[in-house]
Every structure is written in C-alpha cells, then in structure tokens.
Amino acid sequence: MAAAAEELLGQHLVQGVISVPKGIRAAMEHAGKQEMLLKPHSHIQVFEGAEDNLPDHDALRAALAIQQLAEGLTADDLLLVLISGGGSALLPAPIPPVTLEEKQTLTKLLAARGATIQELNTIRKALSQLKGGGLAQAAYPAQVVSLILSDVIGDPLEVIASGPTVASAHSVQDCLHILNHYGLRAALPRSVKTVLSRADSDPRGPHTCGHVLNVIIGSNSLALAEAQRQAELLGYHAMVLSTAMQGDVKSVAQFYGLLARVAAASLTSSMAGQPLEEEEKLYQLAAELQLPDLQLEEALEAVAKANGGPVCLLAGGEPTVQLQGSGKGGRNQELALHVGTELGRQPLGPIDVLFLSGGTDGQDGPTKVAGAWVMSDLVSQASAEGLSIATFLSHNDSYTFFSRLQGGAHLLHTGLTGTNVMDVHLLIFRPQ
Ligand SMILES: Nc1ncnc2c1ncn2[C@@H]1O[C@H](COP(=O)(O)OP(=O)(O)OP(=O)(O)O)[C@@H](O)[C@H]1O
Ligand SMILES: O=C(O)[C@H](O)CO
C-alpha cells in the first residue's frame, strides 16, 4: 500500500512512517516481489514488528513515530493513513500507566478465551492512545484520509485494526461487560482499572472525527466480485453466495457438501425427487450457520437456470478451526479436506465437482501455501495412496496430508500477496 501510495503521490508525499509485520520485506524479496517494496530513496520510514501478531517493543517504537508525525501536522497538511488487518498489533500505544506487557497479557487472555475480534478490539481501543479515533485526533487540524483493507466480516470501520481514524462508540460499561463475560474482571491489573475509570469521567468525551474520510478500498466482497467476473469470462455461470462464511470448518464443510449434492442433482437432473430431504437439511444448516448475507435460494435458482452448463459458486469469509492436534495446516486446507470427505459421501452423478479454499494473503496458517482444492474422488485417491483422512484431520495435519497426496498437486501456491481480505471459497460444477 505504501509503495503504491508513494508512486502515485510523487513529490506531494513529504514524509511517512509505516509499521509492518516482522520479516515482511525479506519475505517479499525472497518471493521475488521487489515491486511491492518501497524504492531505495523512499520518504517513508519502515518499522517492522509485532512478531506473531502480538504488540511488541518494535511496534511500540513504530506507533510512537507515527504519533509524533501526526501531532506535528497543521491545517495545511493532509495525512494519508493506510490501514490493513493486523493493524491493532502493529500500532500499540497503551494509555499510561498501562504497560505494553499488561496489554499483551490481556489481549492474549481474551483471545485464548474465545473473544471475538469485535470484543477484543473494544478493549484494545479503551486502553490505547491511537486506536478508536486516537490517531485522527492526534493529526487534528490536518485533514485525514484513511484507505482501508478490510479483514473483518461485514467491513465494520470501527473494528478493522481497531479503527485508528474512526471515533469509538463504546463505553466503559461495554468493556466491563466483556471483561466480566470472560472472567477477567477480578484479575485486572490496577493500571487497567485506573484507565477505565478515568475514561468514564473524561471531560473531553469520545474523539470527534469530522476532519476524516474513511474509505474501504479492498474487501472480501471486492475480491469475490472480481473472481466472479473472471469466472464469467471463462464461461461459467457465476454467483456469489456469501461474504460472511463463518463458524466451525466442520459445519461449513457439511454446508458445502449438501450444497454440492443439491446443485449437482439439479444440474444433472438426476435423482429426481430424492434431493428434497437434502435441500431441507441444507436450509436448516444455513440457518444454523447464521450467515447474514447468504444468497442460497438465488444460487440454487442460478444453478437450475444454468441448463447443465458449468457453474461457479463463490463465497468468502473466515471459518474457524478447533485446534486439538499438533500437526501442520491452516483453516483453508482443513476446510478443503473436510469438504473432500463430504463430497465422497455419495455419488454425485455425471458431473465434476471441485472445491477450493484459499487465504487471500497467500499464507494459510503457518504454512507456505494459500490453501488447497479437492474433487469428489478425494477419498478414493487418498485410500489408494494409503492416506487416512480421518487420522490427518484428528491431528490438524492438513498440510502434511496435501503435501503427500499426489506429490502436493492439490496445494494452492500463490505466494505472499501482501494483503489480506480473508478467505475465498469456490465450488465449481462441470457436467461431464
Ligand atoms: N495445524 C493447523 N491446522 C488448521 N489450522 C491451523 C493450524 N495451525 C494454525 N491454524 C489456524 O491458522 C490461523 C493462524 O494463522 P495466521 O497466523 O495466519 O492467523 P490469522 O492472522 O488469523 O490468519 P490470516 O492471516 O490468514 O487471517 C488460525 O486460524 C489457526 O486456527
Ligand atoms: O488488526 C486487527 O484488529 C485485526 O486484524 C482486525 O482488523
């Protein structure tokens, strides 16, 4: 983002500071993506930090430099803020007396107890000088334009990277409620209690952000819309199902398995009458998954109208994995492996069905691949190679599974993309 902004702005860019994940420049260089790095004489100072997506002293130094730059601006300046997911850990500026270590501990505890990103970032905002509109406040009276890549379902401006340029609408009561809910209120450090009680009586009230323009320039729905366009160019009837896929990968896989069976039956006009029960189950599961923008009926209509032609259903979001084993994998590969199992449950008729799941950042969990793709013959392929899918799944070892299966042919290699708008799922039908 910074390299593109500098290229576009040329000499209008006076100075800049960015806080990016540790090792990202070396990884980009290694991947041969020099064009994504800043030019040697760039006016932008780079800080790398927040190893393992946790705020650290390197990120704190970066946050300080960003704060100083913002505070030095006048009404004649324009501050361009480039925001992407991971921004919360990359911009830590705890309100004293809260220390970085205390913030780190609280963030880790909340995450480990299953707090949602909305809850986590509500707490982060309450304890930070720069989140929840703090950065915009520091830049006042300069104008502020924030260009934002969304990694949160629904693209909520105030949640993405904890909204450094978005006024926070949360109260201390909201924070206490969250801390209570996760059993953390009693054990809070004194510093956190002090900051929260001060916020209650802060005469300045919440930050105002009238001088700010926040714009989402990248999101899962934009990625899916482009994927849909490409699929149509390739001759598919393409349709976006949802940009809010969430829930446990096992339930999401069941959903795709049922959808594949219902759609395949409709496309091949086979099993007349029989899929009704499956269709009911599909709608029931869809309701359980609570996907706010799901276009299931429309998708099934589109399939029916495809007249036996190739169909591509697209979806996006971020399902979750319950880690229980010590294997190597990521949520996309694990989802693909579960969907492969579902597709093998019963014959789908004279049709090829392919499911692909990939992380848009190009890195699925701690692996070097973006995800994986499967077809309905996955189960038989695996058993022909002596690979037990159930065993790999029980160890969360999807990467090892796909690395072995057909010499890794089902792994999706994109390399680091330098951005993250969550995951993309494709379900493709090609009648034979
Ligand atoms: N062995 C594994 N099998 C399946 N999923 C895993 C495994 N190990 C880690 N994960 C998942 O990978 C994710 C952690 O990887 P990463 O650091 O890339 O997280 P993230 O920032 O949430 O992901 P992303 O950057 O893709 O949004 C978590 O969702 C975690 O559950
Ligand atoms: O940084 C964060 O807060 C998360 O990635 C959500 O944007």
Side-chain angles (χ1 to χ4, degrees), residues 289-311:
L289 282 172
Q290 298 182 8
L291 311 174
D293 63 348
L294 183 67
Q295 306 273 322
L296 185 53
E297 221 174 301
E298 295 81 350
L300 292 176
E301 269 170 26
V303 168
K305 278 196 208 134
N307 254 336
V311 173

Side-chain angles (χ1 to χ4, degrees), residues 88-205:
S88 292
L90 286 160
L91 196 72
I95 300 175
V98 176
T99 65
L100 183 68
E101 286 70 22
E102 285 166 338
K103 221 176 153 188
Q104 241 179 17
T105 309
L106 191 55
T107 315
K108 267 203 230 169
L109 279 173
L110 278 165
R113 294 184 184 195
T116 63
I117 189 69
Q118 284 76 6
E119 293 170 328
L120 196 58
N121 286 0
T122 300
I123 303 295
R124 281 166 155 167
K125 284 191 279 189
L127 304 179
S128 165
Q129 300 180 62
L130 295 177
K131 297 176 167 73
L135 178 60
Q137 189 83 350
Y140 186 83
Q143 286 183 62
V144 178
V145 173
S146 260
L147 305 182
I148 303 167
L149 297 177
S150 170
D151 70 333
V152 182
I153 285 176
D155 307 336
L157 288 175
E158 74 285 4
V159 181
I160 304 162
S162 304
T165 56
V166 185
S168 174
H170 289 107
S171 65
V172 171
Q173 283 314 316
D174 295 330
C175 295
L176 294 179
H177 181 77
I178 294 166
L179 294 166
N180 251 339
H181 181 79
Y182 292 103
L184 292 170
R185 189 158 168 191
L188 282 182
R190 185 186 295 270
S191 60
V192 172
K193 288 186 190 155
T194 309
V195 167
L196 289 179
S197 62
R198 247 194 251 148
D200 232 357
S201 53
D202 185 350
R204 289 171 305 157

